[in-house]
Amino acid sequence: MRTIESAVEEKRPVEVAGATMKALVYHGPGRRRWEERPRPGIQDPTDAVVRLTTSTICGTDLHILKGDVPTVFPGRILGHEGVGVVEEAGSAVSGFRAGDKVLISCITSCGKCDFCRKGMYSHCRSGGWILGHVIDGTQAEYVRVPYADTSLHRLAADADETAFAMLSDVFPTAFECGVLNGRVGPGDTVAIVGAGPIGLAALLTAQLYSPAAVIMVDPDRNRLEVAQSLGATSVVDSAAGAAERIMELTGRAGVDVAMEAVGIPATFDLCQSIVAPGGRVANVGVHGRSVELRLDRLWSHNISITTRLVDTVTTPLLLKMVQSGRLRPERLATHRFPLGDVMKAYDTFGSAARERALKVILENR
């Protein structure tokens, strides 16, 4: 998930009288607790309440716990990814009813405002990234989803929940911000800087467009090995002269597409150093600091630099790709925990290099 400052103001939440649930709650930087909270109810006619069956943890959740997202206040239930079953649907919801299995989008969209009509759901006037941000999220037994008709996707009753949980955020983010913005095409040489879940999702979705080569760049040897198993044609250790090695691999030409999937100045600078004339730099990572734009080198090289906040407009396409077997997002799942062990799951995900963790799955059966 990419962080933005939301203009949405949360109304006092409606709760089911006397009903409680367990949830992972943020209590300020470095403080999280698995605790009992009131169960959410329908607040607006367009809402649905979903019982979570599968969720996961995002790198953005770690940013929140570090205090990097000041728009998340103590008391917030975290999480913006998941699959579940509709428990209750509001009177204005026409596409879903109790008992339906659904994918919850990380982006909530009203479907009617000016930004939604442009397909920029991430900037929805009354939605965007709100789950686990300005309203309670999905690392809980139940979640209220506003604008259910345009923020949920129906799944088959026997759907592989691990695979589809990856379509809440990580795969649309990688596909839209990296592959589509980078205009990956047949015969292209692509470098993906960062082999975390987002970078690996970019690797898998880039292959749908038949690039000639995909070079994965990361300092973590385990992640580079995973990248090779998922189809990377070359891997490069970013801690050991990465730019020179990539230039060697491309016959000194550079790459057609350089995707930045980390979010720090050094990795963005590497992308600028390796992009070929006429190439594209597609930024995917979340940047908390400014970077140096090397226009003195790039100005005459016909370079395009793109940015994007995930809109999840490609989720229906990705759903079809998974259903057909062309895309297998479940390959990124490395650890599984019962939802009640979410505190341990966070410890594992927060020590990803040591634990060899990619996506951590939370199951609520």
Side-chain angles (χ1 to χ4, degrees), residues 208-224:
L208 298 171
Y209 291 84
S210 302
V214 181
I215 304 166
M216 292 296 297
V217 186
D218 200 276
D220 187 314
R221 173 49 54 181
N222 172 61
R223 290 187 168 187
L224 293 179

mmCIF file of all heavy atoms in Angstrom, residues 208-224:
data_model
loop_
_atom_site.group_PDB
_atom_site.id
_atom_site.type_symbol
_atom_site.label_atom_id
_atom_site.label_comp_id
_atom_site.label_asym_id
_atom_site.label_seq_id
_atom_site.Cartn_x
_atom_site.Cartn_y
_atom_site.Cartn_z
ATOM 1 N N LEU A 208 3.860 -11.559 -18.166
ATOM 2 C CA LEU A 208 2.673 -11.650 -19.012
ATOM 3 C C LEU A 208 2.868 -10.918 -20.341
ATOM 4 O O LEU A 208 2.135 -11.166 -21.301
ATOM 5 C CB LEU A 208 1.458 -11.073 -18.285
ATOM 6 C CG LEU A 208 1.039 -11.765 -16.988
ATOM 7 C CD1 LEU A 208 -0.035 -10.958 -16.278
ATOM 8 C CD2 LEU A 208 0.568 -13.190 -17.256
ATOM 9 N N TYR A 209 3.875 -10.009 -20.401
ATOM 10 C CA TYR A 209 4.108 -9.186 -21.587
ATOM 11 C C TYR A 209 5.359 -9.600 -22.362
ATOM 12 O O TYR A 209 5.839 -8.856 -23.214
ATOM 13 C CB TYR A 209 4.189 -7.712 -21.169
ATOM 14 C CG TYR A 209 2.851 -7.187 -20.707
ATOM 15 C CD1 TYR A 209 2.437 -7.377 -19.401
ATOM 16 C CD2 TYR A 209 1.973 -6.554 -21.578
ATOM 17 C CE1 TYR A 209 1.193 -6.942 -18.966
ATOM 18 C CE2 TYR A 209 0.737 -6.109 -21.161
ATOM 19 C CZ TYR A 209 0.348 -6.307 -19.862
ATOM 20 O OH TYR A 209 -0.885 -5.889 -19.434
ATOM 21 N N SER A 210 5.904 -10.764 -22.075
ATOM 22 C CA SER A 210 6.999 -11.371 -22.846
ATOM 23 C C SER A 210 8.243 -10.502 -22.974
ATOM 24 O O SER A 210 8.777 -10.313 -24.076
ATOM 25 C CB SER A 210 6.505 -11.761 -24.249
ATOM 26 O OG SER A 210 5.424 -12.656 -24.175
ATOM 27 N N PRO A 211 8.771 -9.959 -21.876
ATOM 28 C CA PRO A 211 10.057 -9.249 -21.981
ATOM 29 C C PRO A 211 11.166 -10.239 -22.317
ATOM 30 O O PRO A 211 11.067 -11.435 -22.008
ATOM 31 C CB PRO A 211 10.247 -8.655 -20.582
ATOM 32 C CG PRO A 211 9.485 -9.568 -19.676
ATOM 33 C CD PRO A 211 8.286 -10.026 -20.473
ATOM 34 N N ALA A 212 12.213 -9.737 -22.940
ATOM 35 C CA ALA A 212 13.339 -10.611 -23.284
ATOM 36 C C ALA A 212 14.134 -11.001 -22.057
ATOM 37 O O ALA A 212 14.683 -12.110 -21.983
ATOM 38 C CB ALA A 212 14.249 -9.909 -24.292
ATOM 39 N N ALA A 213 14.228 -10.095 -21.084
ATOM 40 C CA ALA A 213 15.013 -10.359 -19.876
ATOM 41 C C ALA A 213 14.443 -9.558 -18.723
ATOM 42 O O ALA A 213 14.000 -8.418 -18.907
ATOM 43 C CB ALA A 213 16.474 -9.992 -20.095
ATOM 44 N N VAL A 214 14.476 -10.172 -17.540
ATOM 45 C CA VAL A 214 14.102 -9.469 -16.308
ATOM 46 C C VAL A 214 15.226 -9.671 -15.307
ATOM 47 O O VAL A 214 15.533 -10.806 -14.917
ATOM 48 C CB VAL A 214 12.773 -9.970 -15.716
ATOM 49 C CG1 VAL A 214 12.436 -9.172 -14.457
ATOM 50 C CG2 VAL A 214 11.650 -9.867 -16.735
ATOM 51 N N ILE A 215 15.847 -8.569 -14.909
ATOM 52 C CA ILE A 215 16.955 -8.579 -13.963
ATOM 53 C C ILE A 215 16.420 -8.135 -12.603
ATOM 54 O O ILE A 215 15.848 -7.053 -12.480
ATOM 55 C CB ILE A 215 18.074 -7.620 -14.412
ATOM 56 C CG1 ILE A 215 18.542 -7.965 -15.827
ATOM 57 C CG2 ILE A 215 19.232 -7.633 -13.426
ATOM 58 C CD1 ILE A 215 19.399 -6.876 -16.472
ATOM 59 N N MET A 216 16.584 -8.971 -11.581
ATOM 60 C CA MET A 216 16.145 -8.620 -10.229
ATOM 61 C C MET A 216 17.355 -8.164 -9.418
ATOM 62 O O MET A 216 18.419 -8.789 -9.467
ATOM 63 C CB MET A 216 15.498 -9.816 -9.540
ATOM 64 C CG MET A 216 14.172 -10.239 -10.134
ATOM 65 S SD MET A 216 12.852 -9.004 -10.006
ATOM 66 C CE MET A 216 12.659 -8.862 -8.239
ATOM 67 N N VAL A 217 17.152 -7.086 -8.657
ATOM 68 C CA VAL A 217 18.243 -6.468 -7.904
ATOM 69 C C VAL A 217 17.847 -6.378 -6.431
ATOM 70 O O VAL A 217 16.793 -5.819 -6.100
ATOM 71 C CB VAL A 217 18.550 -5.051 -8.441
ATOM 72 C CG1 VAL A 217 19.773 -4.467 -7.760
ATOM 73 C CG2 VAL A 217 18.732 -5.078 -9.963
ATOM 74 N N ASP A 218 18.690 -6.928 -5.540
ATOM 75 C CA ASP A 218 18.384 -6.906 -4.107
ATOM 76 C C ASP A 218 19.646 -7.339 -3.354
ATOM 77 O O ASP A 218 20.456 -8.099 -3.899
ATOM 78 C CB ASP A 218 17.221 -7.853 -3.792
ATOM 79 C CG ASP A 218 16.541 -7.543 -2.470
ATOM 80 O OD1 ASP A 218 17.034 -8.001 -1.423
ATOM 81 O OD2 ASP A 218 15.530 -6.814 -2.483
ATOM 82 N N PRO A 219 19.809 -6.896 -2.105
ATOM 83 C CA PRO A 219 20.965 -7.357 -1.336
ATOM 84 C C PRO A 219 20.733 -8.699 -0.647
ATOM 85 O O PRO A 219 21.672 -9.296 -0.117
ATOM 86 C CB PRO A 219 21.145 -6.247 -0.296
ATOM 87 C CG PRO A 219 19.782 -5.705 -0.081
ATOM 88 C CD PRO A 219 19.106 -5.794 -1.421
ATOM 89 N N ASP A 220 19.484 -9.198 -0.631
ATOM 90 C CA ASP A 220 19.130 -10.409 0.097
ATOM 91 C C ASP A 220 19.250 -11.623 -0.817
ATOM 92 O O ASP A 220 18.501 -11.770 -1.782
ATOM 93 C CB ASP A 220 17.692 -10.277 0.622
ATOM 94 C CG ASP A 220 17.292 -11.415 1.546
ATOM 95 O OD1 ASP A 220 17.552 -12.581 1.200
ATOM 96 O OD2 ASP A 220 16.697 -11.136 2.607
ATOM 97 N N ARG A 221 20.202 -12.506 -0.504
ATOM 98 C CA ARG A 221 20.461 -13.669 -1.354
ATOM 99 C C ARG A 221 19.242 -14.579 -1.447
ATOM 100 O O ARG A 221 18.924 -15.111 -2.515
ATOM 101 C CB ARG A 221 21.663 -14.445 -0.800
ATOM 102 C CG ARG A 221 21.967 -15.784 -1.472
ATOM 103 C CD ARG A 221 22.024 -15.721 -2.979
ATOM 104 N NE ARG A 221 22.938 -14.732 -3.500
ATOM 105 C CZ ARG A 221 23.124 -14.506 -4.786
ATOM 106 N NH1 ARG A 221 22.429 -15.198 -5.687
ATOM 107 N NH2 ARG A 221 23.982 -13.586 -5.190
ATOM 108 N N ASN A 222 18.510 -14.758 -0.347
ATOM 109 C CA ASN A 222 17.324 -15.615 -0.389
ATOM 110 C C ASN A 222 16.295 -15.066 -1.361
ATOM 111 O O ASN A 222 15.709 -15.817 -2.153
ATOM 112 C CB ASN A 222 16.707 -15.729 1.014
ATOM 113 C CG ASN A 222 15.373 -16.445 0.994
ATOM 114 O OD1 ASN A 222 15.277 -17.612 0.611
ATOM 115 N ND2 ASN A 222 14.313 -15.737 1.381
ATOM 116 N N ARG A 223 16.060 -13.765 -1.314
ATOM 117 C CA ARG A 223 15.055 -13.183 -2.203
ATOM 118 C C ARG A 223 15.490 -13.276 -3.661
ATOM 119 O O ARG A 223 14.662 -13.462 -4.552
ATOM 120 C CB ARG A 223 14.764 -11.742 -1.793
ATOM 121 C CG ARG A 223 14.019 -11.672 -0.474
ATOM 122 C CD ARG A 223 13.564 -10.289 -0.108
ATOM 123 N NE ARG A 223 12.631 -10.345 1.011
ATOM 124 C CZ ARG A 223 11.946 -9.313 1.480
ATOM 125 N NH1 ARG A 223 12.093 -8.117 0.924
ATOM 126 N NH2 ARG A 223 11.109 -9.455 2.490
ATOM 127 N N LEU A 224 16.783 -13.170 -3.909
ATOM 128 C CA LEU A 224 17.262 -13.327 -5.277
ATOM 129 C C LEU A 224 17.065 -14.766 -5.758
ATOM 130 O O LEU A 224 16.737 -15.002 -6.935
ATOM 131 C CB LEU A 224 18.728 -12.917 -5.380
ATOM 132 C CG LEU A 224 19.016 -11.427 -5.162
ATOM 133 C CD1 LEU A 224 20.511 -11.148 -5.270
ATOM 134 C CD2 LEU A 224 18.254 -10.561 -6.172
#
